[in-house]
Amino acid sequence: MEYNLDQFGMSKEELFAPVDHNDLESEKITAPRYSYWHSVFRVFFKKKINIFILALLGVIVLLAYLYPLFVDYDRYMNLLDASTKHLTPAKAIDRFGFSIHWIMGTGGSGQSTWDSIWYGSRISISLAFVCALINMTIGVLFGAIWGFSKKVDVVMIEIYNIVANVPYLLVISVMVMIFSASFWTLVFAMTVTGWLAIAYFMRTQVLIIRDREYNLASKCLGTSSFKIAMKNILPFLTSIIMTVVATEIPSYISYEVFLSYIGMGMSDASLGRLIFEAESAMLTPGWQFEFWCPVAVASIITVVLYVAGQNLGDASDPRTHM
């Protein structure tokens, strides 16, 4: 079928304009741009349970760090008044009037259990995050170099075999006994050898991908081992690192609670210290709130941190972004 070009109201040159060919332009992919962290959060927030867990974690952190700033808390304020000690929530409200301070009753010194818990949570959470930051930073960086460098591996594997046979809790306990128990003593005790297990785990993961073709090519081109470990290997292990973080942070809270429970923790009113001081109330009728409230809060904090970290680790796996 033939067409009259005049019916289109355009000349032949206008209808059939030549297009220049460019080899570089033709190689460009027109697929949408991929952002790794955008995909991570898209996968993470796709699950409704993650939104709830993150909201709960946000409430806990706000209560632990902001609530004490607006409350004049004195744990020994009612020490000399025997009628204020070991009160249930109902009796505390009858004694002091309705207030958020008394919704969990009072402790052995007549102090507000609610206020004590959030002051203690701030100490315990801060301890866990500081220890996790130090151990993860040293462990991940050193583990990447350890796994990639065969010379470092020969020395470090012997050091690890010696240190790993000493129970971690025993190391912490000895450090606490040598130095006076305090926040920074516990940080030092939990990090002096705590990073080594993380480094060994990362070393194992690095060995799996160390000799892949792109790393061998980088080595042949003269790229340093440190740069290959930082640029080629660690980004590939992001999801694994997030999973390790998910287990490390709650574990430090558990260590602090356990050490305080056996009388080797801080003198400050951390969650572990509150549980230790309320141990006698566990079996005393009418005093159970004093013990079980900090236990419940410590359990909620560890579970929420663990689940949030695990789900973020799963979302960090690029295979879930398809």
Side-chain angles (χ1 to χ4, degrees), residues 96-110:
F96 297 103
F98 182 80
S99 173
I100 193 174
H101 303 292
W102 314 114
I103 61 175
M104 288 185 177
T106 62
S109 301

Side-chain angles (χ1 to χ4, degrees), residues 35-221:
S35 172
Y36 172 74
W37 287 108
H38 175 77
S39 297
V40 168
F41 291 115
R42 177 179 57 81
V43 173
F44 180 79
F45 287 112
K46 186 182 294 185
K47 295 182 179 179
K48 302 300 181 184
I49 186 64
N50 290 339
I51 299 176
F52 171 76
I53 290 173
L54 207 61
L56 182 58
L57 180 60
V59 171
I60 291 173
V61 171
L62 287 176
L63 285 172
Y65 286 93
L66 293 183
Y67 179 79
L69 298 177
F70 300 97
V71 177
D72 186 15
Y73 172 70
D74 182 2
R75 60 188 298 197
Y76 301 113
M77 181 175 59
N78 298 316
L79 181 63
L80 300 179
D81 188 352
S83 64
T84 63
K85 300 177 182 179
H86 305 295
L87 298 180
T88 63
K91 292 181 178 179
I93 291 173
D94 290 340
R95 175 69 172 76
F96 297 103
F98 182 80
S99 173
I100 193 174
H101 303 292
W102 314 114
I103 61 175
M104 288 185 177
T106 62
S109 301
Q111 79 276 22
S112 166
T113 302
W114 170 265
D115 292 352
S116 299
I117 283 175
W118 297 119
Y119 271 81
S121 297
R122 180 177 60 177
I123 297 173
S124 297
I125 293 174
S126 298
L127 177 69
F129 275 94
V130 170
C131 291
L133 179 63
I134 294 174
N135 281 341
M136 289 302 301
T137 301
I138 299 175
V140 170
L141 295 179
F142 206 93
I145 299 172
W146 181 1
F148 199 84
S149 174
K150 295 181 181 179
K151 294 181 180 179
V152 174
D153 183 61
V154 173
V155 177
M156 287 302 303
I157 200 67
E158 297 300 327
I159 296 174
Y160 175 78
N161 288 335
I162 296 172
V163 175
N165 285 290
V166 181
Y168 185 47
L169 272 175
L170 180 61
V171 174
I172 299 175
S173 300
V174 170
M175 292 294 175
V176 172
M177 292 180 66
I178 293 175
F179 307 100
S180 58
S182 65
F183 181 90
W184 291 109
T185 298
L186 282 179
V187 169
F188 175 74
M190 291 182 183
T191 57
V192 64
T193 61
W195 62 270
L196 193 57
I198 299 173
Y200 180 77
F201 176 78
M202 294 305 302
R203 171 251 186 194
T204 305
Q205 299 301 316
V206 169
L207 286 176
I208 298 174
I209 61 174
R210 181 186 65 184
D211 296 328
R212 291 185 177 176
E213 290 79 2
Y214 56 89
N215 290 323
L216 295 176
S218 297
K219 192 73 173 178
C220 293
L221 291 173

Side-chain angles (χ1 to χ4, degrees), residues 271-318:
L271 285 176
R273 187 70 184 182
L274 292 177
I275 296 171
F276 169 73
E277 292 177 351
E279 180 183 5
S280 60
M282 180 173 55
L283 300 176
T284 305
W287 293 7
Q288 290 90 342
F289 269 95
E290 183 183 342
F291 176 81
W292 289 111
C293 286
V295 169
V297 171
S299 301
I300 291 172
I301 291 174
T302 53
V303 170
V304 166
L305 286 171
Y306 178 79
V307 174
Q310 285 286 344
N311 290 343
L312 186 58
D314 292 340
S316 301
D317 190 343

